[in-house]
């Protein structure tokens, strides 16, 4: 049934027809309830005449709607109105791969894509197929016309799995399509040029038919022509069954591993074909020995250059702070042993890692001596307010030697004579150098209070020292360079959240790890960038959803880094049992392959709002607490905008959340159905509702700049009121009766840095009444607070008896609670030695028996990226 623009179908206003085929018509429409554009696929009238087919289609659509993956176009629902049955789909902006191929290049009407564009697209298609295959869903009609690339470069596979439920499917292009229900034999299913041999014969198919189609699509991306294309459909089917593609037309620079992958995907016998699309992803990520390497996440220049990718560690657990020895033979790094950070070394040529340190404290930030015979490392202060210690130890192990006291880690000059570190000089921090034995202190630069200073690094010629600088409680950081001769200080890079840097071998610039471009915080994705020493020429080197942090270079140009993989889900965790019982009794709410953060349940505990990176940008989503009925309620696409910590009002009508645009931070609100989005107040952060939902409490001021104190404002944005002035006060929680205000507060807000000093320590305080004197309930060491900046995110139980928060326990994060009446903190969970991170806000259930938390499972390895910076 054709619809005209202006037709109302349920809550959807039809805007325009965008496609016609045997499957029915596809329309662009406006969702008037959620104020968003969607795609409406109106089913053929034959559906109305087949109740069984319609019922099965509904069941399978529900299964497909559970596919929650950034590279799969979402199914929002099934609409029935005025006798019309229609699917409501995510409307995806951008061109299909068929469009991109048809655009051509110059005088060529149908052209291949460049290698460094085609391979990342193929990787994202493989990611989508892998996620669906894990759920037992097969696409059966993968082709360029069913794949879109958004303006931001995100690949979306369309019509996922729908072909298997229909008998009248047709290609929206001119290519003929025939299909059948999955239980039928002898009937064709799919689009002819992309059919597998078993499809072409009308036989039963499985996920290997998608692998064949994937090979056809990748071949077409690389060559600009179809693998099997003859004048008629019958001739094309004959070619699929009898002939092989022309491998000679592949570009000359196609990696050997990719050529081999194509041949395995296009094996005519299913049993000889690539068995799992995950193997294709691995081939694209880590080519086999002897193949020309192509590593997803690593941008190749044009013309393409080789980047050797090698994983240097392979044991379970987190790793940190890799450092390559000057002789190029070893890498030192930090890994956990019995819950403590220890220094390890490994030969680059292979072998078992050697643990150098073993005492029951954390050992951090190893740095090599120029002759590769020994290492410098750092241990934090053992008491509040004290300095940490620099030690030197032989690369063969043995007893360490104390070198100097300092505020954070140090670095040895390339001539081996001096060590750069941070110390207190008088009443302010200073960058200093000392002799190798810790004597002869020389001040290089006195530095302002209120900032953290870490990771000093000598330039290759020893004429300058670079370091990382962070304003207290800020998410914005910089890398500064101080000239030893002139004493001048220059900012080279500035970004929200940095995780390590190193000098380029020739001293012309820096490689640094930045969260720039990541719109999902807590934690974000970090990628490597390079910048010249004058701050120019800043460019991104790695891409993707894996983080590359803490880079280090060798004078030959080889680069190592810590690669972190993370998957997360929302969990509902009981609080009334022992920590082990609570952990075992946790209930998974979401189940997907992307990232989710900071959940907050509705007042009736039927739904939960959270952050998700589905679609390639952090936005707010809502799901039922059993994980069903997932819906998106914000639709931000600006790469310079991120949002965080949603907080559902006890009144149920609003969700407040933080919005960061550039370096401007404020609080916004949206209704649970996605309507009424508006900013409430700025600058502000740390939202917390009063018990009746009439007032929103928050921290006034800009995150990491000047925080005037706590304020509150009416839910409609009126009657802004100062509650109390509290320098360094963060993250408020108001009791249900409004009689007491709880908050975390930086214990020493104007002293130094995050590593090795007390500048990141927090006090948990209570003021009763809200503007009355504050008393300290507990002290939290900064090294126990997950994420940056290290702010203890507290949440108050519905009965006002408990404050809960996530805290670091060695290599993992657990949930802890503190009695508001006073007393010791006790653990709620026990994740043992699992590499788990719970960052930022958690939330209580309405009955106080559960906590909602986003639990991230981490994997980290030290990797070699040789050739990335040549």
């Amino acid at each position: 049934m054709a619809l005209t623009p202006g037709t109302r179908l349920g809550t959807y206003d039809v805007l325009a027809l965008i496609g016609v085929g045997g499957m029915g018509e596809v329309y662009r429409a406006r969702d008037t309830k959620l104020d968003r554009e969607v795609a409406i696929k109106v089913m053929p009238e034959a559906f109305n005449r087949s109740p069984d087919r319609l019922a099965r289609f509904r069941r399978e659509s529900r299964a497909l709607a559970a596919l929650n993956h950034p590279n799969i176009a979402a199914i929002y629902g099934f609409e029935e109105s005025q006798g019309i049955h229609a699917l409501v789909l995510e409307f995806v902006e951008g061109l299909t791969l068929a469009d991109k191929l048809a655009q051509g290049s110059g005088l060529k009407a149908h052209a291949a894509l460049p290698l460094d564009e085609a391979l990342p697209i193929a990787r994202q298609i493989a990611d989508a197929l892998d996620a669906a295959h894990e759920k037992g869903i097969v696409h059966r009609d993968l082709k360029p016309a069913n794949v879109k690339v958004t303006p931001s470069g995100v690949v979306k596979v369309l019509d996922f799995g729908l072909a298997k439920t229909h008998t009248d499917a047709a290609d929206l292009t001119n290519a003929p399509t025939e299909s059948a229900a999955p239980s039928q034999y002898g009937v064709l299913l799919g689009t002819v040029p992309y059919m597998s041999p078993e499809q072409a014969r009308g036989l039963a198919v499985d996920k290997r038919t998608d692998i064949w189609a994937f090979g056809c699509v990748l071949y077409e991306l690389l060559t600009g022509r179809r693998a099997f294309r003859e004048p008629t459909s019958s001739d094309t089917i004959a070619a699929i069954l009898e002939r092989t593609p022309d491998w000679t037309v592949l570009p000359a620079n196609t990696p050997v591993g990719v050529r081999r992958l194509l041949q395995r995907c296009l094996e005519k016998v299913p049993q000889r074909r690539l068995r799992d699309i995950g193997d294709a992803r691995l081939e694209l990520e880590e080519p086999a020995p002897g193949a020309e390497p192509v590593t997803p996440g690593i941008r190749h220049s044009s013309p393409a250059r080789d980047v050797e990718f090698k994983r240097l560690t392979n044991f379970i657990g987190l790793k940190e702070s890799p450092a390559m020895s000057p002789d190029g033979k070893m890498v030192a790094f930090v890994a956990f042993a019995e819950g403590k950070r220890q220094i390890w070394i490994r030969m680059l040529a292979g072998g078992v890692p050697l643990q150098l340190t073993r005492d029951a404290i954390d050992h951090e930030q190893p740095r090599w001596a120029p002759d590769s015979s020994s290492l410098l490392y750092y241990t934090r202060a053992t008491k509040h307010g004290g300095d940490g210690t620099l030690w030197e130890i032989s690369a063969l192990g043995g007893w360490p030697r104390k070198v100097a006291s300092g505020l954070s880690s140090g670095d040895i000059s390339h001539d081996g004579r001096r060590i750069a570190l941070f110390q207190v000089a008088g009443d302010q921090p200073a960058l200093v150098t000392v002799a190798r034995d810790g004597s002869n202190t020389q001040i290089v630069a006195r530095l302002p209070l209120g900032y953290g200073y870490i990771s000093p690094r000598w330039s290759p010629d020893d004429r300058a020292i670079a370091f990382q600088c962070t304003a207290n409680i800020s998410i914005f950081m910089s890398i500064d360079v101080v000239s030893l001769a002139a004493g001048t200080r220059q900012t080279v890079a500035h970004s929200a959240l940095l995780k390590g840097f190193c000098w380029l071998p020739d001293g012309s610039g820096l490689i640094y790890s930045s969260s720039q471009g990541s719109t999902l915080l807590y934690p974000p994705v970090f990628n490597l960038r390079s910048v010249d020493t004058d701050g120019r020429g800043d460019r991104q080197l790695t891409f993707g959803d894996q983080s590359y942090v803490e880079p280090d270079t060798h004078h030959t140009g080889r680069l190592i880094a810590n690669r972190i993989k993370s998957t997360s889900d929302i969990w509902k965790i009981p609080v009334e049992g022992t920590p082990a019982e609570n952990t075992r009794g946790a209930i998974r709410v979401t189940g997907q392959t992307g990232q989710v953060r900071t959940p907050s349940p509705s007042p009736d505990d039927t739904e939960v709002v959270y952050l998700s990176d589905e679609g390639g940008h952090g936005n707010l989503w809502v799901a039922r607490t059993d994980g069903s009925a997932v819906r998106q309620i914000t639709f931000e696409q600006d790469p310079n905008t991120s949002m965080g910590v949603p907080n559902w009002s006890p009144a149920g009508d609003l969700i407040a959340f933080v919005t960061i645009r550039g370096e401007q931070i404020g609080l916004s609100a949206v209704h649970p159905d996605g309507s009424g989005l508006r900013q409430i107040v700025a600058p502000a952060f740390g939202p917390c509702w009063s018990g009746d939902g009439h007032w929103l409490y928050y921290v006034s001021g800009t995150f990491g700049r000047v925080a005037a104190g706590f304020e509150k404002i009416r839910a409609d944005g009126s009657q802004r009121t100062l509650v109390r002035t509290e320098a360094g006060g963060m993250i408020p929680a108001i009791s249900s009766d409004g009689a007491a205000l709880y908050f975390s507060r930086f214990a020493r807000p104007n002293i130094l840095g995050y590593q090795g000093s007390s500048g990141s320590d927090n006090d948990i305080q209570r003021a009763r009444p809200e503007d009355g004197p504050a008393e300290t309930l507990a002290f939290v060491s900064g090294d126990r607070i997950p994420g940056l900046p290290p702010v203890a995110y507290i949440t108050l139980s519905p009965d006002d008896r408990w404050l809960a928060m996530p805290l670091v326990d060695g290599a993992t994060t657990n949930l802890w609670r503190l009695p508001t009446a006073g007393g010791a903190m006790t653990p709620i969970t026990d994740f043992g030695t699992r590499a788990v991170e719970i960052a930022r806000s958690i939330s209580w259930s309405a009955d106080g028996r559960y906590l909602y938390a986003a639990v991230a499972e981490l994997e980290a390895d030290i990797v070699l990226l040789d050739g990335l910076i040549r």
Side-chain angles (χ1 to χ4, degrees):
M1 175 181 177
L3 302 178
T4 58
T7 301
R8 171 65 68 89
L9 187 65
T11 61
Y12 304 97
D13 286 338
V14 174
L15 302 178
L17 178 68
I18 57 176
V20 179
M23 270 291 295
E25 300 87 15
V26 182
Y27 296 88
R28 188 171 184 166
R30 169 69 62 180
D31 184 339
T32 60
K33 186 176 181 181
L34 298 181
D35 192 27
R36 63 179 176 185
E37 287 196 350
V38 298
I40 299 288
K41 179 168 285 190
V42 177
M43 298 295 105
E45 292 187 7
F47 269 68
N48 295 330
R49 300 190 296 269
S50 177
D52 290 342
R53 184 194 299 176
L54 189 59
R56 185 179 65 192
F57 180 76
R58 287 175 179 152
R59 289 195 303 270
E60 296 192 357
S61 295
R62 284 194 291 269
L64 293 165
L67 281 178
N68 183 9
H69 192 275
N71 298 124
I72 298 175
I75 297 178
Y76 293 146
F78 190 81
E79 180 70 24
E80 299 180 37
S81 179
Q82 305 170 25
I84 297 173
H85 300 90
L87 273 177
V88 183
L89 309 168
E90 175 185 0
F91 180 76
V92 180
E93 297 279 3
L95 298 175
T96 67
L97 289 184
D99 295 331
K100 290 176 73 67
L101 290 165
Q103 284 180 339
S105 176
L107 298 177
K108 194 171 183 180
H110 196 75
L113 300 185
L115 191 70
D116 62 354
E117 182 179 358
L119 295 182
I121 288 173
R123 170 60 191 268
Q124 293 182 69
I125 296 172
D127 283 342
L129 293 174
D130 193 32
H133 292 173
E134 286 186 355
K135 302 275 189 183
I137 296 171
V138 181
H139 192 293
R140 300 189 178 208
D141 197 20
L142 181 68
K143 56 189 176 184
N146 274 342
V147 179
K148 271 194 172 184
V149 182
T150 71
S152 62
V154 176
V155 169
K156 291 279 189 177
V157 179
L158 313 177
D159 279 356
F160 220 110
L162 299 182
K164 72 176 182 180
T165 63
H166 307 311
T167 57
D168 299 314
D171 189 0
L172 294 181
T173 70
N174 292 325
T177 300
E178 300 172 277
S179 60
S183 59
Q184 292 180 296
Y185 289 87
V187 186
L188 299 183
L189 171 67
T191 303
V192 171
Y194 307 94
M195 283 183 178
S196 64
E198 58 269 29
Q199 272 182 303
R201 291 189 171 97
L203 302 176
V205 298
D206 56 24
K207 65 182 181 181
R208 289 172 292 185
T209 203
D210 282 351
I211 293 173
W212 172 281
F214 172 81
C216 292
V217 171
L218 179 54
Y219 181 95
E220 191 168 345
L221 293 179
L222 295 175
T223 65
R225 62 177 70 181
R226 288 177 176 170
F228 305 96
R229 180 63 185 265
E230 300 294 335
T232 68
S233 295
S234 297
D235 291 335
T236 301
I237 290 174
I240 290 170
L241 296 175
E242 300 171 1
R243 293 190 283 278
T244 59
D246 183 357
W247 303 117
T248 65
V249 299
L250 286 170
N253 64 342
T254 303
V256 174
V258 175
R259 291 175 183 269
R260 181 170 53 248
L261 170 63
L262 281 168
Q263 292 169 352
R264 293 184 66 196
C265 288
L266 296 177
E267 284 281 358
K268 297 187 186 299
V269 179
Q271 290 77 11
R272 298 179 59 186
R273 196 175 304 153
L274 188 75
R275 296 185 61 84
D276 195 298
I277 197 65
D279 293 340
R281 295 169 61 227
L282 292 174
E283 187 68 58
L284 290 168
E285 179 176 347
E286 298 181 29
E292 179 182 343
V294 177
T295 304
I298 307 299
R299 174 66 58 88
H300 290 250
S301 63
S302 183
R305 68 179 179 220
D306 292 352
V307 176
E308 177 191 354
F309 178 91
K310 183 178 182 181
R311 188 174 61 249
L312 301 179
T313 57
N314 63 1
F315 58 90
I316 295 173
L318 295 182
K319 294 89 179 175
E320 299 171 347
S321 309
M324 190 180 297
S325 63
D327 64 9
K329 297 180 179 180
M330 296 174 284
V331 59
F333 59 94
V334 172
F336 283 86
E338 297 182 357
K340 296 297 181 181
R341 291 175 171 89
Q342 304 291 351
I343 308 297
W344 301 67
I345 61 171
R346 180 196 187 274
M347 302 296 293
L348 266 68
V352 178
L354 171 66
Q355 183 179 341
L356 293 187
T357 60
R358 296 182 180 275
D359 39 323
I361 57 173
D362 283 333
H363 306 70
E364 305 177 59
Q365 298 290 324
R367 301 298 300 166
W368 287 95
D371 62 2
S372 302
S373 65
S374 63
L375 290 141
L376 195 72
Y377 66 86
Y378 181 75
T379 60
R380 303 190 187 204
T382 57
K383 62 179 181 179
H384 172 57
D387 290 337
T389 305
L390 287 176
W391 304 82
E392 189 166 0
I393 190 171
S394 168
L396 299 177
W399 290 103
R401 175 181 64 87
K402 181 177 180 180
V403 176
S405 296
L407 300 170
S408 66
S409 58
D411 191 37
I412 304 176
S413 61
H414 295 83
D415 64 10
R417 297 178 179 178
R418 307 286 291 175
I419 294 174
L421 71 157
F422 297 101
Q423 293 181 338
V424 173
D427 59 354
Q428 68 184 107
L431 173 63
V432 305
T433 66
V434 299
R436 286 288 294 274
D437 63 1
S439 65
N440 189 21
T441 301
Q442 297 178 8
I443 295 177
V444 176
R446 296 183 184 273
L447 303 169
L449 289 169
Y451 294 82
Y453 304 101
I454 61 173
S455 304
R457 296 288 184 268
W458 291 88
S459 64
D461 61 7
D462 287 339
R463 294 181 178 179
I465 299 172
F467 57 88
Q468 188 170 309
C469 172
T470 309
N472 276 332
I473 71 174
S474 178
I475 63 171
F476 298 103
M477 305 176 178
S478 67
I479 299 173
D480 293 359
V481 175
V482 173
S483 167
L484 270 69
T488 56
R489 176 183 172 190
Q490 178 183 358
T491 295
V492 175
H494 179 76
S495 172
L497 297 184
L498 301 174
K499 267 204 169 181
F501 71 95
C502 61
W503 286 88
L504 286 169
D506 62 2
S508 63
L510 302 171
I511 305 292
Y512 69 101
S513 176
S514 167
S515 67
Q516 182 176 329
S518 179
T519 61
L520 192 69
L521 306 178
Y522 325 123
V525 172
F526 290 86
N527 276 294
L528 300 182
R529 307 181 68 90
S530 69
V531 63
D532 298 337
T533 52
D534 61 3
R536 299 178 182 178
D538 195 308
R539 64 189 181 94
Q540 190 166 337
L541 299 178
T542 62
F543 298 78
D545 58 3
Q546 299 176 12
S547 287
Y548 292 85
V549 302
E550 301 176 307
D552 192 45
T553 52
H554 189 254
H555 65 82
T556 59
R558 288 188 293 175
L559 182 146
I560 58 175
N562 186 15
R563 183 188 66 177
I564 302 173
K565 300 178 181 180
S566 171
T567 57
S568 58
D569 273 305
I570 306 300
W571 290 79
K572 185 177 180 180
I573 302 171
V575 301
E576 295 175 343
T578 67
E581 291 169 344
N582 293 335
T583 306
R584 287 194 300 268
I587 302 167
R588 187 194 298 267
V589 175
T590 60
Q592 37 74 66
T593 60
Q595 301 293 330
V596 292
R597 304 280 191 269
T598 58
S600 178
S602 60
D604 60 4
D605 238 18
T606 61
E607 294 186 309
V608 61
V609 61
Y610 55 91
L611 280 170
S612 171
D613 66 351
E614 181 170 353
H617 193 290
N619 273 293
L620 301 189
W621 292 69
V622 173
R624 295 190 63 83
T625 49
D626 63 3
S628 65
V630 179
R631 66 180 186 273
Q632 186 175 354
I633 63 170
T634 66
F635 300 88
E636 184 61 64
Q637 291 297 322
D638 183 354
N640 295 314
T641 298
S642 56
M643 56 188 64
V645 289
N647 197 313
W648 207 314
S649 166
D653 58 339
L654 283 177
I655 297 169
F657 59 95
V658 172
T659 301
I660 304 173
R661 301 185 186 276
E663 294 196 17
Q664 303 302 314
I665 189 167
L667 296 181
S668 297
V670 65
H671 294 305
D673 63 1
S675 65
L677 176 64
R678 67 185 188 277
Q679 186 176 77
I680 296 180
V681 61
F685 61 94
C688 165
W689 291 99
S690 62
D692 56 12
H694 294 165
W695 291 93
L696 182 64
Y697 287 72
Y698 57 91
V699 184
S700 61
T702 301
F703 205 25
R705 305 301 184 193
V706 178
F710 297 114
E711 294 183 354
K712 61 182 179 182
I713 194 170
R714 288 280 185 182
D716 61 5
S718 66
Q719 204 172 333
R720 181 174 179 175
T721 304
L722 177 65
V723 174
R724 63 184 296 118
T725 299
E726 196 70 51
M730 306 287 292
I731 316 305
I734 189 74
S735 62
S736 56
D737 60 3
L741 180 70
Y742 301 86
F743 54 92
S744 58
R745 181 180 183 274
F746 272 72
R748 293 172 64 193
N750 291 321
I751 310 296
L752 324 163
Y754 295 144
Q755 279 194 338
S757 77
S758 57
S760 58
D761 297 337
N762 282 210
D763 289 329
I764 308 301
Q765 300 198 323
R766 175 180 60 198
R768 190 168 45 192
E770 62 183 26
D771 58 352
E775 58 180 318
T776 298
L777 297 178
F779 167 81
V780 180
S781 174
D783 58 11
R784 296 204 62 199
I785 300 173
L788 286 176
V791 176
Y793 269 70
I794 58 173
T795 180
L796 183 62
S797 62
D799 61 8
D800 297 336
R801 294 179 57 204
W802 302 97
L803 291 168
M805 68 199 79
L807 294 176
V808 173
D809 288 322
T812 193
T813 309
N814 280 300
L815 301 181
W816 288 70
R817 62 182 174 183
L818 171 71
T820 56
M825 284 194 291
T826 55
I828 295 172
T829 62
D830 181 5
F831 286 101
T833 59
R834 288 167 56 188
V836 163
E837 183 172 26
I838 304 172
R840 291 298 182 260
S841 63
I842 58 176
S843 299
W844 291 87
S845 62
D847 59 10
R849 297 176 58 200
Y850 297 89
L851 281 166
Y852 290 88
V855 180
E857 299 274 359
L858 305 179
E859 295 179 19
D861 277 302
I862 309 303
V863 297
L864 172 72
L865 304 172
D866 191 7
L868 184 66
I869 58 175
R870 281 206 300 261

